[in-house]
Amino acid sequence: MYLFKRRNDLRHHLEQAKLKGQTIGFVPTMGALHDGHLSLVAAAKEKCDIVVCSIFVNPTQFNDPKDFEKYPITIEQDIVKLTDAGTDVLFLPSVAEMYPEGLASGKHYDFGNLEKVLEGEFRAGHFQGVGRVVHKLLDIVMPHQLFMGQKDFQQCLIIKELIHLLALPVQLVVCPTRREADGLAMSSRNVRLNAAHRQQATDIFKVLTAIRDQFGKVPNSTLSKEAMTQLKKDGFEPEYVEIITLRNGQVTREDAPSADKTVAVVLAAWLGGVRLIDNMILQGQL
Ligand code: PAF
């Protein structure tokens, strides 16, 4: 696996591959890699000639500085995992390399209502930071396909919108959420759960599957309310459980969504000081 820390070196290396007609698949990450990330690498390997992965803990997307400080860093293990998974190129830039202009200034992306609801409501500025760094990474790597996980449902919608707004020549491939045996969605933040909370965390999957089983039989707003109550009873501090319908890339809440629309349940909840998010598609696809 080639490792580049400088954008120009990476660009130069990839230009050679593109001249040979090779296709590039790109998996952006913030490291602390788990099987969910590696499934994205596997999907990219299946579809593209060269797989590029980036590890960059992006400061501009953390609305909470404590979350940024506590974000797990496991570079050595990550490099071993990526090498074993057959990644061709790893991009490991510094903050100065990614943000030579500084962190404060930046382009504003008009994501509409999409960046104000759900995650956007609780993490002000988060999606501007995600948009900014993914735009920069795409500009450097210029991949044919971009691989992201469904676990970050709203992030996938934001990146779809980014690609659309800027008419970027890349195809977004959304891969299914990888789960532990008990249903907990794999996440870099899971390692911060203590043993008791780790066990408790599986309730999120139970709540999502209960909603999936009752979807269409009970009004969506009732399902959301019941799920919030259940999570509180189980010791979580839920921020939201919402059943959302996608209309032209934007999010709406509808009690009787039409059958041709994508509908999903999305949630965020705190447990033992760790913020967990998860979702399940109830109808259609992302
Ligand atoms: O999902 C992530 O790990 C990050 O939000 C991403 C897409 C790598 C941007 O920093």
Side-chain angles (χ1 to χ4, degrees), residues 15-125:
E15 264 160 29
Q16 305 303 313
K18 282 175 200 155
L19 281 175
K20 285 188 220 150
Q22 291 178 306
T23 54
I24 314 282
F26 178 45
V27 181
T29 81
M30 298 207 296
L33 302 180
H34 49 68
D35 282 355
H37 297 111
L38 300 179
S39 73
L40 301 180
V41 171
K45 272 189 84 65
E46 224 177 88
K47 291 184 179 243
C48 301
D49 299 317
I50 305 255
V51 178
V52 180
C53 184
S54 63
I55 296 181
F56 178 65
V57 184
N58 174 35
T60 66
Q61 70 185 74
F62 285 85
N63 53 309
D64 175 1
K66 278 189 229 123
D67 193 27
F68 179 56
E69 280 159 30
K70 283 193 237 156
Y71 204 83
I73 310 265
T74 58
I75 285 294
E76 276 85 21
Q77 293 100 302
D78 290 349
I79 289 178
V80 172
K81 286 179 188 173
L82 289 176
T83 308
D84 291 350
T87 309
D88 299 287
V89 177
L90 170 59
F91 183 43
L92 200 58
S94 65
V95 171
E97 184 69 14
M98 286 302 290
Y99 291 102
E101 76 278 25
L103 299 176
S105 59
K107 192 174 159 51
H108 181 86
Y109 302 95
D110 184 8
F111 295 126
N113 137 69
L114 194 51
E115 70 162 321
K116 298 189 181 85
V117 295
L118 309 169
E119 286 300 282
E121 191 183 332
F122 291 91
R123 303 187 67 189

Side-chain angles (χ1 to χ4, degrees), residues 207-224:
V207 161
L208 292 177
T209 45
I211 288 181
R212 185 189 60 196
D213 295 344
Q214 287 182 292
F215 174 64
K217 299 175 198 149
V218 178
N220 289 343
S221 47
T222 310
L223 290 176
S224 300

Side-chain angles (χ1 to χ4, degrees), residues 1 19 43 86 95 101 104 152-154 156 158 168 180 186 191-192 197 204 223 236-237 239 241 262 266-267 282:
M1 184 172 73
L19 281 175
V95 171
E101 76 278 25
D152 294 301
F153 188 91
Q154 197 174 358
C156 292
I158 286 283
L168 301 175
E180 305 290 353
M186 290 184 185
V191 295
R192 284 169 43 200
H197 289 139
I204 287 182
L223 290 176
F236 292 82
E237 288 168 56
E239 284 182 343
V241 181
T262 295
V266 289
L267 71 74
L282 304 173

